[in-house]
Amino acid sequence: MTTYAEGRTRLLRNLTYAAAILFVLALLMDFFYVGPEAQQGEAQRIFYVHLGSFLGAFIGFTAAVVAGIRYLRSRDPKWDTLGLSSVEVGLGLSTITIVTGMFWAKPIWNVYWTWEPRLTSVTIMWLAYAAYMMLRAGIEDPERRRRFAAVYGIVAFSSVLFTVIIIRVRPDTIHPAIGPTQASPEGEFEITPRIRDTLFFNLFTFGVIAVTLIWYRIRLENLFLHIERRKMDLLSQEG
Amino acid sequence: MTSTREQSRTDIHADTPVETQAEVPPQVTPAAPRVRKRRRPVTAYWRVVGTIAWKDLRAEMRSRELINSMALFTAMVVMVFSLALELDAQARRSVVTGVLWVAIVFAGMLGLSRSLAAEKDRGSLDALLLAPIDRSALFFGKVIGNLLFVLVVAAVLLVLLTIMFDMALMKPLLLLVVLLGSVGFTTVGTLLASMSVHARARETLLPILLLPVVLPLLLSAIRASSAILEDLPTVEWRSNLELLVIADVIFLVGAYALFDFVVEE
């Protein structure tokens, strides 16, 4: 094994164990440490996974912007690998955000889905990154694919910003928010110390999970590229 | 011109004491080119922008392949909407801005993909890229050309909807919203269309790439136009109008910065 340093592999393995343990602890906190919320009751417990997975997705999409800028500056393919990996992980985690939101909405709003500003904007965000994957699939020249993906990864981030700020500026949203919004200037629900602990622990956990997943995806992509190169070498030898 | 300017300069300096006599020629000669040098990049830049937009317009005036299909397409979108939604007078009032913007966006995408695809298929894009001009001038030229097409479509639509939906759509504020929305839409659209022309299924890829990015802009454009049509007070639509302006500025700056990377080869 010359492709990957042994130390890196060990570090990633430890990170994986840490992520798994943190996730179990976070779930235990969601179910046993924090009590049922005053207004929403038991359904509120899913909120920690909901916000945590969104943070993970946010990390992914932000990493894609950074990777895009770095790629356009340096033209080093490793930044494109980071961009692809973080968008994929971000897409997966934002799917979790949407699905957990739906399960929360059924008991609270009595429907799985409603056309509410933030639900609309998060769907737009998801579609933008699905379009990123389509763009990659549609362009054959590898150099051009990397370049266009970097550009679109930057452009698509506008939908993430839109999702983050819409809840603060639109007065007709019913999506709960921490802190002041146009809809309710003094904040939606009261944050007890236990809610705060659980929330921060979950956010940290999902941050670690996102980084770990992105790392795995980078290694997978490197293996793909490695196999691709080996194939090319083999073909050129035969020819 | 130059002689009179020199004349006046020497006149001014003639009032001052003797040693300025020697300074006059070196002062005058650098002064004249300096003024021209400061102006030249700006005018030349915008002349290139204008030339490219004018080229698109002239090609279109001769072939009429784009504007006819876009206008017919918008008429059909209006028909489909009124048939599909079975609109009565009340329903027409509530959906008219939605119909307006959906038709603008769909017809606009038709034009965008066509404008860049024609450029690439005829090989004229390579020639434009080889020209010793600023890439951003090329971009803004294409944006202005596409914007004019979109605005023509919007004008057709406004007339069409005014007649067929029996509503007074010709309000200055609504026209402003249409202009702002179209600017943002064509800016991102031109950027993304110049990427999608290189893809395998380019006609389907452009809507997929473009819609998620412009939907936020579209949302505020639709809200602002509805509120203006309903004659609601200023507070109802002002934030949406501001959002439109902000989005336009972001899109213009972002596309300006990114276009170079899209077309380089």
Side-chain angles (χ1 to χ4, degrees), chain B residues 220-239:
Chain B
S220 28
I222 291 173
R223 296 220 145 217
S225 0
S226 297
I228 288 167
L229 264 191
E230 301 277 317
D231 285 322
L232 293 179
T234 317
V235 280
E236 293 289 324
W237 45 263
R238 222 185 109 185
S239 59

Side-chain angles (χ1 to χ4, degrees), chain A residues 62-76:
Chain A
T62 311
V65 172
V66 174
I69 293 169
R70 295 300 293 267
Y71 178 75
L72 292 176
R73 286 253 175 93
S74 69
R75 302 305 158 108
D76 188 338

Side-chain angles (χ1 to χ4, degrees), chain A residues 72-73 75 117 120 124-125 127-132 134-140 143-144 147-152 154-156 158-159 162 165-166 169-170 172, chain B residues 120 188 191-192 194-201 205 208-213 215-217 219-220 223 239-240 243 250-251 254 258-265:
Chain A
L72 292 176
R73 286 253 175 93
R75 302 305 158 108
T120 313
I124 293 172
M125 180 188 91
L127 286 172
Y129 285 97
Y132 174 94
M134 291 296 293
L135 175 68
R136 291 195 76 102
I139 297 193
E140 283 176 49
E143 192 274 331
R144 183 179 280 153
R147 193 150 43 84
F148 284 7
V151 169
Y152 196 71
I154 297 168
V155 174
S158 65
S159 65
F162 182 63
I165 64 166
I166 191 166
V169 296
R170 280 285 288 269
D172 56 342
Chain B
K120 182 169 180 281
V188 190
L191 177 76
L192 296 181
S194 45
M195 303 207 304
S196 70
V197 285
H198 294 286
R200 251 171 307 184
L205 189 62
I208 292 172
L209 291 181
L210 181 53
L211 280 177
V213 180
L215 272 178
L217 179 94
L219 224 60
S220 28
R223 296 220 145 217
S239 59
N240 278 315
L243 221 63
I250 293 176
F251 283 162
L258 291 172
F259 185 70
D260 267 13
F261 298 113
V262 172
V263 293
E264 68 173 42
E265 15 247 32

Side-chain angles (χ1 to χ4, degrees), chain B residues 47 80 85 98 102 138 150 187-188 213 222:
Chain B
R47 205 180 303 133
V80 167
L85 302 175
V102 168
L138 172 60
V150 171
T187 310
V188 190
V213 180
I222 291 173

